[in-house]
Amino acid sequence: MTPLRLTKPLIAVLNELLDAKKNEEEIWGLEICRKADLGPGTVYPILDRLTERGWVTSQEETGPHPGRPARRFFEFTGAGHEHATRALQMRELSRTRRGLKPQDPGPQDAS
């Protein structure tokens, strides 16, 4: 399998998944879209690729969800979390070596 190319949308999705894991929160597809400021046509194919590679698993909401479709919650697998963390660290190291400024780590809670 070819390595994932770390595009800005992929980085944004990985950061949202990492933030959710760090904060022990559940995150669903449309919430990732909202927080990453990306459309579903960008986010869902990324989530599909991450799932195919075994980085992410998903589970459909089981509780009541009146007036809307059930949410699909996404989370890293153990290996996926390690791969994502390592890939983002290596990217930052590469940027630093090339004299580029560090990337914005992604959205942070104001609390």
Side-chain angles (χ1 to χ4, degrees):
M1 197 174 281
T2 61
L4 285 175
R5 194 170 135 249
L6 288 178
T7 62
K8 287 183 180 184
L10 175 58
I11 292 166
V13 169
L14 292 176
N15 280 325
E16 294 308 329
L17 290 164
L18 287 169
D19 284 349
K21 182 167 180 66
K22 180 180 81 176
N23 297 323
E24 298 180 9
E25 298 172 345
E26 291 183 317
I27 193 161
W28 56 98
L30 287 177
E31 183 72 354
I32 294 171
C33 293
R34 186 185 68 75
K35 288 184 169 188
D37 195 24
L38 296 168
T42 300
V43 170
Y44 284 101
I46 289 171
L47 291 169
D48 288 343
R49 284 193 303 273
L50 293 173
T51 300
E52 288 169 5
R53 290 172 179 269
W55 287 30
V56 170
T57 60
S58 65
Q59 181 176 349
E60 193 166 296
E61 181 176 36
T62 56
H65 46 84
R68 63 170 171 75
R71 294 174 175 154
R72 179 156 292 280
F73 296 104
F74 293 88
E75 66 180 335
F76 279 119
T77 61
H81 183 259
E82 289 177 29
H83 289 306
T85 302
R86 188 175 327 115
L88 293 174
Q89 287 171 343
M90 294 304 294
R91 182 174 187 276
E92 284 307 308
L93 180 60
S94 174
R95 289 181 59 81
T96 302
R97 286 182 179 158
R98 290 182 288 156
L100 300 172
K101 67 179 185 176
Q103 279 294 106
D104 178 9
Q108 302 295 319
D109 287 344
S111 53

